[in-house]
Amino acid sequence: MASMRPEYQQKVALASLLAPGGYERHFTNPFITPFIVRHKELTKLANTFNIYELPPYRMKYNELILSACTTALFNDICSSIYHMVSGGDSGELNNKILPIMFKYLPTVSVKQLLHFAQVIDSGHMRQWDYGRKKNMEVYGQPEPPDYPVENISVPTAMYYSLADNLAFAKDIEDICDTIQNCIRKFLMPNKKWTHMDFLASKNLEHELNEPLLEFIQEFENAKKPDNF
């Protein structure tokens, strides 16, 4: 939005981004990659069967996952899947918050997931790929255009980690160097910190929330006139 509709940037004082996606040139998540390389087949499948959200809300999957993952039999299995998807066991997981997360897991737009897959597969942060023929109709070119992220001028703070295998540190640093006003790159001190630790770390308050809020306060104070 900020790159395509720059007038909206005036409405944002400071963007504090936690493990942001965007550039995905170093994506190697072993659990998700097999789906990425088959995104064209998955797109056809979704269109054929009119699948618009995952998981379908009518499945009541929240209740199913919650009941399964809070039993002794499946608790370890759920934890293993959690760590496999997010980048490993950092030792940070707050087990008490997992039932809450499972209870309120949202559904996700299938097109959003497929667009994410297109970005990873192409190596470009670009608009939706309709295929060469329709791309010519929509964009006037065979490949979808990249988002002009260099137009983003909103003051931006990036919070990221080394063990995150969904939003890689090098990709975040690259996009920080590309936008106009990246004013902070905060690398999490725990080198094993994963993507999901930004939500579920038992040390979240001290390791992330406190430095984030302190920086917001410093930014606000710096923006105030002397006689405020």
Side-chain angles (χ1 to χ4, degrees):
M1 184 192 68
S3 67
M4 302 291 287
R5 300 289 297 275
E7 64 272 19
Y8 280 97
Q9 299 189 84
Q10 301 174 12
K11 302 179 183 297
V12 183
L14 171 67
S16 299
L17 308 184
L18 310 184
Y23 290 164
E24 293 291 348
R25 298 164 180 164
H26 298 84
F27 190 93
T28 56
N29 184 296
F31 186 78
I32 298 176
T33 297
F35 299 96
I36 299 298
V37 297
R38 295 174 175 83
H39 67 85
K40 292 181 180 180
E41 293 91 333
L42 293 173
T43 300
K44 292 179 181 178
L45 184 67
N47 291 335
T48 300
F49 293 98
N50 297 319
I51 303 172
Y52 303 112
E53 63 178 355
L54 282 177
Y57 183 73
R58 61 181 178 272
M59 291 175 56
K60 303 294 183 183
Y61 73 99
N62 303 68
E63 299 172 10
L64 178 63
I65 294 176
L66 179 62
S67 60
C69 291
T70 52
T71 62
L73 179 61
F74 290 103
N75 184 264
D76 289 342
I77 296 175
C78 292
S79 296
S80 296
I81 294 174
Y82 173 94
H83 291 312
M84 183 166 53
V85 173
S86 64
D89 185 358
S90 64
E92 295 270 354
L93 176 61
N94 179 1
N95 288 298
K96 294 181 180 179
I97 205 173
L98 280 183
I100 300 173
M101 292 175 62
F102 291 145
K103 184 176 181 179
Y104 295 105
L105 279 174
T107 60
V108 180
S109 164
V110 169
K111 187 171 183 179
Q112 181 181 351
L113 293 174
L114 292 171
H115 192 188
F116 188 57
Q118 289 181 359
V119 167
I120 297 170
D121 191 42
S122 68
H124 292 266
M125 186 181 176
R126 63 188 191 180
Q127 299 181 49
W128 177 262
D129 188 353
Y130 294 97
R132 295 178 67 86
K133 183 178 180 180
K134 191 170 182 180
N135 284 342
M136 290 299 299
E137 298 175 14
V138 176
Y139 306 121
Q141 59 188 55
E143 299 290 332
D146 288 6
Y147 289 108
V149 293
E150 65 276 2
N151 292 341
I152 298 173
S153 59
V154 172
T156 304
M158 304 275 194
Y159 298 82
Y160 61 109
S161 55
L162 290 176
D164 188 343
N165 67 1
L166 292 173
F168 285 75
K170 182 64 169 63
D171 291 326
I172 292 173
E173 290 170 352
D174 285 346
I175 203 168
C176 187
D177 292 338
T178 303
I179 65 178
Q180 296 180 29
N181 202 10
C182 186
I183 59 176
R184 190 184 208 195
K185 288 190 287 188
F186 186 91
L187 183 63
M188 300 308 298
N190 182 351
K191 294 181 179 180
K192 294 183 178 181
W193 185 284
T194 70
H195 194 73
M196 293 303 297
D197 284 331
F198 285 92
L199 286 176
S201 169
K202 59 188 177 184
N203 299 307
L204 196 66
E205 181 178 3
H206 173 67
E207 295 193 33
L208 176 63
N209 294 351
E210 288 178 359
L212 186 150
L213 292 172
E214 287 173 5
F215 185 77
I216 290 175
Q217 188 63 58
E218 291 172 6
F219 179 84
E220 290 181 346
N221 291 340
K223 297 287 285 186
K224 292 176 183 177
D226 294 337
N227 60 349
F228 183 81

